[in-house]
Amino acid sequence: MAKALRTEALLDFLRAVQQDARRLVAPVEEDGLRLFRAVDRVEEITLAEGNTRWSFKEVLFPRSEALFHYRLSGGSVALQEPDQPEGETVVFGARPCDAAGLAVLDAVFAPNGRPDPDQAPEHEDPFYRRRRAQTTIIGLACLEPGPACFCTAVGLSPTGTAGSDLLLTPLPDQGVFLAEAVTEKGERLLAAHAHLFTDTDDTKEQATRAAEGRIQRTALSGVGGPLATLFEAPPWEELAARCLGCGACAFVCPTCHCFDIVDEGNAAGGSRCKFWDSCGFALFTAHTSGHNPRATQPARFRQRVLHKFRYLPERFGVQGCVGCGRCIATCPVNMDIQEVVAKVTG
Amino acid sequence: MMSDTFEPKIVAFVCNWCTYTGADLAGTSRMQYPANVRIIKLPCTGRISPLFIMKALEQGADGVLVSGCHPGDCHYTAGNYHARRKYTIFREMLHFLGVEPERLFFSWVSAAEGRKWADLVAEVTDTVRRLGPRRSAWGEPVEGIAAPRLSANPVPFEAPAGTFAAQAEAMREKAKALLAGGEVGTVIGYEQGTLPGTARPAFVSTPEEVDRLVWNEHCHQNLAVYAARKPAKPGKVALVVKPCDERSLVGLLQENRLAREDVVLIGMACHGVQSEGALAPRCAACQTRTPALADPVIGEATPPTATADPRLEQIARIEQMAPAERWNFWQGHFSRCLKCYACRAACSLCTCERCLAEKAQPRWIPAPPDGAGNLSWHAVRAWHLAGRCVDCGACSAACPADIPLYLLNLKLAQVVKDAFDYEAGRDPAAAPPLTTYREDDAQEFIR
Ligand code: SF4
Ligand code: SF4
Ligand code: SF4
Ligand code: SF4
């Protein structure tokens, strides 16, 4: 049977969760934009509908992190362990699209199902794996999807549970959040704070129908299918003529996961850093020789579309775009991935 | 505080011909001066790029001294005159970012002035020792001081009814005529965006497609960003431009990125544009509402609503902050920077084939989007746009992190105006301020 959390008890629940974990990450308002931040006081958290400017992926895949530090002296190099990860973390307020996007990060960085830090093959990303194991996701369903949202067009739902450990769906008429434990971690959260939750017969069906009904964008049919033959065919040049070649779309995206590695330091030492990169940049594929296999911006934009809608489904069986609409909303020139895919497959 | 035990690290960049020789003279004359200064010798102050100052600060210098030949004495005739202009702007920029100006020193020391060098080094060392260590590392906030926030006061947007529609019609007619007559192969204008209340750049190449083009208060992007790019379709390009966008073209002409006859400009008399539901900050007091360069100018402009630029008040408020507060104000904003480079991509004057941010040897800007990397990126981009930025607002509008880049750019535009009486994007025949100099340029900050 589903559980209910009274609307007024949400902050009590989060406060209790915060006491158990080392870190609570949740949406807050800062300089007029909404971002996920580690919060000191749960009162800072905003419950406003709609998405943060970028996803919470940086909790698991930071925009920049040191893989190790090094000291140079004489002819010798001394390596030092990287900084300690942040420890037990709870993310609250993950929207169902963002939570579903974890499937892509997992597929790439921790491909063996739910990652176990002690038993993972060499090629897994130990940094991601460790953070993933120490992170619990409390999802928050959407009642009012925005104009850029299209999760339903890629087979997801504004009240979907994928990726969340615990999903809260607001039922304002009943004055409660419906709480669904999705994983063992979610079950444990419910059990640990059982006194705040009551049994309920309420369901989220009506909320789901209403929220899904608000999404205006057309379904992307046969995602993965038709795109398989469209590498040269559709007029990418025309579709992407205005693309400026920045990385905004990739950096706000919950599923983009490309990174670069450089050594940052001086003659005394430094750090080997891993940090976000984007296929939208010309430098991303530039060879040392000067040759660039993706020579034009339309070719780079095509990569963005095909990576999400064809290569990821083909290679990992995951869907590369979860329809959060962020890239559409943040793009300085309104490159609209949903519009483009609908056009080329339609 | 620590001034008894604190030994400051000071980096001195000096020219080979005057100051280095002067320092050498101080040494051979056995003059005593503190050993805190690490001297780096370069051929000329003209080669002492402001980036060197930035790098020294990034690497932890407590103070930086730059010194070269007196005006008129440059071994290469004018290297020091050019350098003086650069430092005039760069030190104001660092100051605006919250670097204490007392840590930066500029001087002219000739080969004969061994005494002056010894006294200068003593004074510099003493000043920095009294200031104490820098209060935080490059790109890290000063601890214990909250990052001040500035609230923007959006000016309510009032669009004159009907004006846009009539202009739009005339613009489409012109675009059709240009394409039908074969005068241009592509018209770059605006079409409706996919989100409510948005417009976006549109490339059209047949008269039929022209019907997609719109002109309204949402047309805020600066299409000059496409001016220097090679169009996919053969033929010339026509751009739909606002007066502020047109100023980018002036810059591109000055810098030989483009010749006037390479592009047709469809100029739109302006009523101001919207960003996020309110009048774009730059438009409130914009005085240039009629294009000056365009081939046809379409419509009649609406006079500005405000007389004072609201952004100048924001700048004044930043200037009232103590250096550590200022520093934290900027670190607070820069900490959000993702290094997505949308600011650069949207900038019509960031035309470098390979941006400094992409160069690894030497690496002026740490690549990761973290404290040091972000601060250096913002300092470099603002510096590169000093005297060039035309205040079109494209970078700030493009930034997904809502960093008020315009405050930094506008501040430097003020410095350039005050120091060199120059405004970017006004006169295609004018020499950009950092390509020229005057022998009597002000130099009160140089000892
Ligand atoms: S591609 Fe765009 S819409 Fe899809 S998940 Fe990424 S940011 Fe969201
Ligand atoms: S700055 Fe001036 S020219 Fe540019 S959009 Fe605003 S009002 Fe128009
Ligand atoms: S930031 Fe500087 S180097 Fe980079 S593109 Fe702009 S002007 Fe060129
Ligand atoms: S657009 Fe904004 S987030 Fe992106 S690099 Fe520029 S300042 Fe940073």
Side-chain angles (χ1 to χ4, degrees):
Chain A
M1 180 179 284
K3 298 278 182 188
L5 173 69
R6 277 180 308 108
T7 307
E8 321 80 71
L10 177 69
L11 290 191
D12 294 333
F13 171 56
L14 293 176
R15 213 173 284 118
V17 165
Q18 190 181 24
Q19 266 155 21
D20 298 345
R22 295 230 351 237
R23 205 162 62 125
L24 175 65
V25 175
V28 300
E29 295 283 344
E30 175 183 307
D31 285 324
L33 67 165
R34 201 179 314 152
L35 299 171
F36 279 97
R37 288 279 198 216
V39 293
D40 293 326
R41 296 168 41 252
V42 294
E43 287 76 12
E44 294 164 34
I45 298 172
T46 170
L47 295 173
E49 281 285 338
N51 250 326
T52 50
R53 194 61 64 87
W54 50 84
S55 83
F56 66 84
K57 78 176 171 195
E58 57 187 328
V59 170
L60 300 159
F61 170 42
R63 64 177 86 163
S64 164
E65 74 178 314
L67 302 178
F68 57 81
H69 308 292
Y70 58 89
R71 306 289 316 161
L72 304 171
S73 73
S76 74
V77 184
L79 298 186
Q80 287 160 7
E81 279 295 305
D83 319 317
Q84 280 304 307
E86 299 75 11
E88 220 36 68
T89 297
V90 174
V91 176
F92 166 74
R95 296 295 178 181
C97 50
D98 287 3
L102 288 176
V104 175
L105 301 185
D106 287 348
V108 175
F109 294 130
N112 294 291
R114 284 304 261 201
D116 173 346
D118 300 321
Q119 324 175 340
E122 283 284 300
H123 66 268
E124 291 206 340
D125 181 314
F127 299 88
Y128 178 85
R129 194 187 341 126
R130 201 177 313 135
R131 288 198 178 89
R132 186 71 169 97
Q134 294 182 333
T135 301
T136 304
I137 311 287
I138 304 179
L140 182 61
C142 305
L143 298 186
E144 291 173 36
C149 293
F150 64 101
C151 54
T152 51
V154 291
L156 296 167
S157 164
T159 65
T161 54
S164 290
D165 293 301
L166 177 71
L167 178 72
L168 300 181
T169 305
L171 302 178
D173 292 344
Q174 284 86 335
V176 298
F177 289 97
L178 194 77
E180 295 168 86
V182 185
T183 64
E184 258 170 52
K185 275 185 192 169
E187 298 281 3
R188 282 202 295 273
L189 261 184
L190 276 189
H193 307 284
H195 64 289
L196 291 169
F197 293 87
T198 51
D199 290 338
T200 180
D201 293 327
D202 293 333
T203 70
K204 63 180 182 184
E205 238 169 86
Q206 212 188 333
T208 304
R209 237 177 300 124
E212 288 182 352
R214 284 171 184 264
I215 294 176
Q216 306 295 322
R217 288 171 174 261
T218 50
L220 303 177
S221 58
V223 160
L227 285 172
T229 54
L230 294 180
F231 190 78
E232 300 291 356
W236 294 107
E237 284 289 342
E238 259 162 57
L239 287 169
R242 69 178 183 280
C243 175
L244 295 170
C246 70
C249 50
F251 293 172
V252 298
C253 176
T255 69
C256 276
H257 48 265
C258 285
F259 58 86
D260 194 1
I261 296 179
V262 298
D263 288 354
E264 283 296 340
N266 54 29
S271 308
R272 180 154 300 174
C273 299
K274 168 182 162 195
F275 60 99
W276 292 357
D277 202 349
S278 163
C279 60
F281 297 139
L283 192 65
F284 187 76
T285 40
H287 294 185
T288 319
S289 66
H291 172 67
N292 195 335
R294 284 185 210 135
T296 63
Q297 202 53 39
R300 290 167 212 136
F301 184 74
R302 173 181 61 198
Q303 164 64 20
R304 173 169 176 76
V305 174
L306 293 185
H307 195 182
K308 299 209 175 286
F309 286 92
R310 178 178 157 196
Y311 310 141
L312 279 165
E314 273 176 12
R315 262 188 237 154
F316 294 99
V318 294
Q319 175 178 314
C321 168
V322 292
C324 74
R326 282 197 183 80
C327 53
I328 302 172
T330 51
C331 175
V333 293
N334 185 224
M335 293 297 294
D336 185 323
I337 197 166
Q338 189 271 341
E339 181 195 26
V340 166
V341 174
K343 218 177 248 176
V344 299
T345 58
Chain B
M1 34 189 275
M2 309 195 42
S3 46
D4 295 341
T5 51
F6 167 59
E7 281 304 331
K9 284 194 290 281
I10 294 160
V11 180
F13 297 104
V14 305
C15 84
N16 175 44
W17 302 97
C18 293
T19 304
Y20 190 78
T21 316
D24 207 28
L25 177 66
T28 50
S29 316
R30 298 181 182 276
M31 293 175 194
Q32 295 286 324
Y33 63 83
N36 299 62
V37 167
R38 277 73 160 172
I39 296 178
I40 299 179
K41 176 175 76 168
L42 288 121
C44 174
T45 42
R47 180 63 189 91
I48 302 175
S49 160
L51 298 179
F52 296 6
I53 302 174
M54 185 184 83
K55 198 66 176 177
L57 293 171
E58 180 213 304
Q59 290 291 318
D62 298 298
V64 180
L65 165 62
V66 177
S67 186
C69 307
H70 286 270
D73 287 354
C74 177
H75 188 81
Y76 307 97
T77 318
N80 52 359
Y81 290 133
H82 286 286
R84 186 168 63 184
R85 286 207 155 195
K86 294 191 220 169
Y87 305 147
T88 301
I89 305 171
F90 198 75
R91 71 186 265 290
E92 289 278 0
M93 182 184 83
L94 289 179
H95 187 188
F96 193 61
L97 290 171
V99 175
E100 298 129 300
E102 298 86 352
R103 296 187 186 274
L104 306 176
F105 305 84
F106 300 84
S107 70
W108 305 135
V109 172
S110 76
E113 294 176 316
R115 185 75 262 159
K116 182 175 177 185
W117 172 256
D119 292 348
L120 179 71
V121 168
E123 189 203 325
V124 164
T125 308
D126 190 49
T127 308
V128 178
R129 185 179 284 126
R130 269 187 288 109
L131 275 175
R134 296 234 319 271
R135 294 180 67 183
S136 73
W138 188 248
E140 299 302 326
V142 174
E143 271 181 48
I145 292 187
R149 306 277 173 203
L150 281 189
S151 59
N153 307 315
V155 180
F157 181 78
E158 296 162 46
T163 320
F164 284 111
Q167 266 183 306
E169 207 33 65
M171 175 268 293
R172 283 189 290 262
E173 252 168 57
K174 179 68 193 172
K176 276 183 195 162
L178 286 169
L179 288 167
E183 202 177 323
V184 304
T186 310
V187 174
I188 308 179
Y190 300 92
E191 66 186 0
Q192 201 189 323
T194 57
L195 298 176
T198 60
R200 67 187 187 189
F203 289 54
V204 297
S205 49
T206 63
E208 297 71 51
E209 286 176 288
V210 167
D211 290 325
R212 267 166 48 208
L213 297 186
V214 301
W215 168 246
N216 57 40
E217 66 272 31
H218 305 300
C219 299
H220 69 82
Q221 292 102 343
N222 179 352
L223 303 181
V225 69
Y226 301 113
R229 302 190 185 185
K230 215 168 85 55
K233 297 264 157 43
K236 261 195 211 181
V237 167
L239 291 176
V240 175
V241 288
K242 301 183 287 297
C244 52
D245 308 340
E246 206 189 40
R247 292 177 61 193
S248 299
L249 269 303
V250 172
L252 294 170
L253 294 175
Q254 281 173 305
E255 294 174 8
N256 295 320
R257 292 290 179 180
L258 194 81
R260 181 63 192 86
E261 57 278 13
D262 293 344
V263 53
V264 174
L265 301 177
I266 306 177
M268 307 305 281
C270 197
H271 321 293
V273 292
Q274 278 190 14
S275 86
E276 293 174 8
L279 190 62
R282 71 180 183 283
C283 299
C286 166
Q287 301 295 327
T288 313
R289 297 198 165 204
T290 305
L293 204 64
D295 305 282
V297 172
I298 294 177
E300 289 283 334
T302 308
T305 46
T307 44
D309 188 335
R311 302 170 304 168
L312 297 181
E313 196 205 304
Q314 294 183 312
I315 290 179
R317 277 162 66 195
I318 296 172
E319 284 173 332
Q320 281 154 15
M321 297 174 191
E325 284 179 329
R326 248 188 239 197
W327 177 266
N328 281 10
F329 167 81
W330 286 111
Q331 302 317 318
H333 281 291
F334 295 162
S335 70
R336 289 197 302 274
C337 176
L338 303 165
K339 285 243 187 116
C340 70
Y341 300 118
C343 44
R344 176 183 77 193
C347 176
S348 46
L349 291 155
C350 266
T351 45
C352 303
E353 239 164 65
R354 185 121 184 225
C355 176
L356 195 72
E358 296 181 345
K359 291 187 177 158
Q361 297 231 328
R363 188 179 304 283
W364 290 109
I365 305 171
D370 55 15
N374 286 358
L375 175 53
S376 291
W377 163 239
H378 288 278
V380 165
R381 183 163 181 279
W383 162 238
H384 283 183
L385 271 303
R388 300 174 65 237
C389 167
V390 293
D391 194 23
C392 72
C395 53
S396 310
C399 177
D402 290 0
I403 300 174
L405 300 164
Y406 61 86
L407 291 175
L408 197 46
N409 294 335
L410 191 59
K411 170 66 195 171
L412 296 195
Q414 279 183 328
V415 172
V416 168
K417 174 90 175 121
D418 291 348
F420 311 121
D421 193 26
Y422 177 92
E423 261 187 278
R426 296 292 182 197
D427 176 6
L434 286 172
T435 64
T436 182
Y437 64 89
R438 285 171 55 115
E439 286 180 13
D440 63 350
D441 279 332
Q443 58 163 26
E444 321 75 66
F445 66 94
I446 303 177
R447 292 144 199 261

